[in-house]
Amino acid sequence: MNATSLSQDNAAGHDVIGTTPTFPKLSSSRRNANAISKWIIRVCMVTALIPLVWILADVLIKGLKVTLTLDWWTKSQLGVLYTEPGGGMVHAIIGTLVQCGVASVFSIPIGVFTAVYLVEYGANNRLSRITTFMVDILTGVPSIVAALFIYSVWIALFGFNRSGFAVSLALVLLMVPVVVRTTEEMLRIVPQDLREASYALGVPRWKTIVKIVLPTAWSGIVTGIMLAIARIMGESAPVLILVGSTQGINWDPTGNSQSSLPLMMLDMYRAGTSPAVVDKMWGAALTLVLLIAVLTITARILSIRVTGKKK
């Protein structure tokens, strides 16, 4: 290659061995558009953070006084009026954890297995299209509709009593579509090359899913599950319709009455606007936020330990 051809290649923008490729500079209009886009994104991000930080700060400031007492975490409201200071939230915390735990036992396997089928097995068949359509419908169902459906079937039709288990059934209807959608998206992110390499080595599809696909997407799946749990923890319509209120501790979800954090806040709202009631309401709100934060952080730590690396 002579000097003339080298100069021609450089002029045409071709890479030449031993030389550094040159790229055309961005025009001033494109640079300005890029800078404006960055500022718009930053402004939108700050705008979205303002109400979030405002709510968290408000809940923290107004609910911290009550939650710092030992009785709040060790006692119930049994024998204590809502309008009087004292008592604790342990009965509502137990009820919330039991109801969400029962709902998670049903929702997580159903949601994950459904997502695995849609991504790995149900490519463009009729059943997968019907399932996707039904999941889309359930995603937009209001909590009050899910609660009324469980009431009409579980209580009115089958004759069971109002209980925490009935609340869990309504929460299942709200949690399953969220788990399906988030798990499905995480599974689709897994590179297809990993699956094809496993198939080329003679690994069956089910083992490829269990050993490669799910561990690769595990961190995102756990995050989606925690988002679903965080959503159902604060639902008030199911507890308002499907379970009776109590101020004592009840570990049995099949019992007639079982309190929870949303239900206790509703009860205190009915009790009036005395200072003790307002303080307990803010304390219950802060307790719910802390509970969701602890569960989310714990799940993230466990997912990192399972995958062996931070994603």
Side-chain angles (χ1 to χ4, degrees):
M1 185 179 291
N2 53 28
T4 304
S5 61
L6 285 174
S7 61
Q8 291 175 350
D9 287 339
N10 285 329
H14 299 301
D15 294 339
V16 180
I17 298 176
T19 62
T20 302
T22 58
F23 300 97
K25 294 183 178 180
L26 293 176
S27 62
S28 59
S29 61
R30 296 181 67 180
R31 287 197 302 269
N32 294 334
N34 183 60
I36 293 172
S37 300
K38 286 183 177 179
W39 278 106
I40 292 175
I41 293 172
R42 290 171 182 170
V43 170
C44 292
M45 182 185 68
V46 173
T47 305
L49 287 176
I50 288 174
L52 177 61
V53 175
W54 193 349
I55 292 173
L56 291 177
D58 206 22
V59 171
L60 183 63
I61 293 172
K62 295 181 179 180
L64 193 61
K65 180 179 68 174
V66 178
T67 56
L68 288 179
T69 60
L70 183 61
D71 289 347
W72 184 260
W73 304 99
T74 58
K75 294 183 179 180
S76 67
Q77 288 289 314
L78 188 62
V80 180
L81 296 177
Y82 288 139
T83 55
E84 297 178 356
M89 190 65 67
V90 66
H91 66 296
I93 296 174
I94 291 173
T96 299
L97 293 178
V98 170
Q99 293 168 12
C100 293
V102 174
S104 299
V105 168
F106 290 99
S107 301
I108 293 174
I110 293 174
V112 173
F113 290 156
T114 301
V116 169
Y117 172 78
L118 293 175
V119 176
E120 304 295 334
Y121 292 98
N124 297 323
N125 61 32
R126 185 175 182 182
L127 180 58
S128 66
R129 291 194 295 269
I130 294 174
T131 303
T132 302
F133 177 72
M134 296 305 296
V135 170
D136 291 338
I137 292 177
L138 283 176
T139 303
V141 169
S143 59
I144 186 67
V145 175
L148 290 175
F149 172 76
I150 296 299
Y151 182 87
S152 62
V153 174
W154 186 255
I155 298 175
L157 182 61
F158 293 154
F160 292 99
N161 294 326
R162 298 168 68 217
S163 63
F165 186 76
V167 175
S168 298
L169 293 179
L171 296 180
V172 168
L173 298 179
L174 301 174
M175 185 175 177
V176 165
V178 180
V179 176
V180 172
R181 275 287 167 244
T182 54
T183 304
E184 187 179 358
E185 294 301 323
M186 291 303 105
L187 293 178
R188 294 188 188 280
I189 292 175
V190 177
Q192 186 64 26
D193 294 342
L194 294 177
R195 299 180 178 89
E196 294 176 354
S198 179
Y199 299 153
L201 294 174
V203 180
R205 175 176 288 187
W206 70 268
K207 189 173 288 187
T208 299
I209 296 171
V210 173
K211 297 293 185 179
I212 296 176
V213 178
L214 287 178
T216 303
W218 182 250
S219 179
I221 292 173
V222 171
T223 301
I225 291 173
M226 296 313 302
L227 289 175
I229 294 176
R231 181 201 173 184
I232 65 173
M233 270 191 175
E235 291 292 347
S236 58
V239 298
L240 184 63
I241 296 174
L242 299 173
V243 67
S245 179
T246 178
Q247 293 180 250
I249 297 174
N250 180 15
W251 288 91
D252 184 11
T254 61
N256 293 333
S257 298
Q258 187 180 52
S259 185
S260 63
L261 290 169
L263 182 57
M264 183 176 176
M265 283 188 279
L266 288 171
D267 291 337
M268 288 186 292
Y269 175 77
R270 298 192 191 102
T273 58
S274 64
V277 171
V278 174
D279 290 340
K280 290 179 182 179
M281 289 180 64
W282 283 110
L286 180 58
T287 303
L288 185 60
V289 172
L290 293 176
L291 193 60
I292 294 173
V294 169
L295 291 176
T296 303
I297 295 172
T298 303
R300 291 294 297 174
I301 294 174
L302 292 177
S303 66
I304 292 172
R305 290 187 177 181
V306 170
T307 55
K309 59 182 179 179
K310 187 174 182 179
K311 293 185 181 274

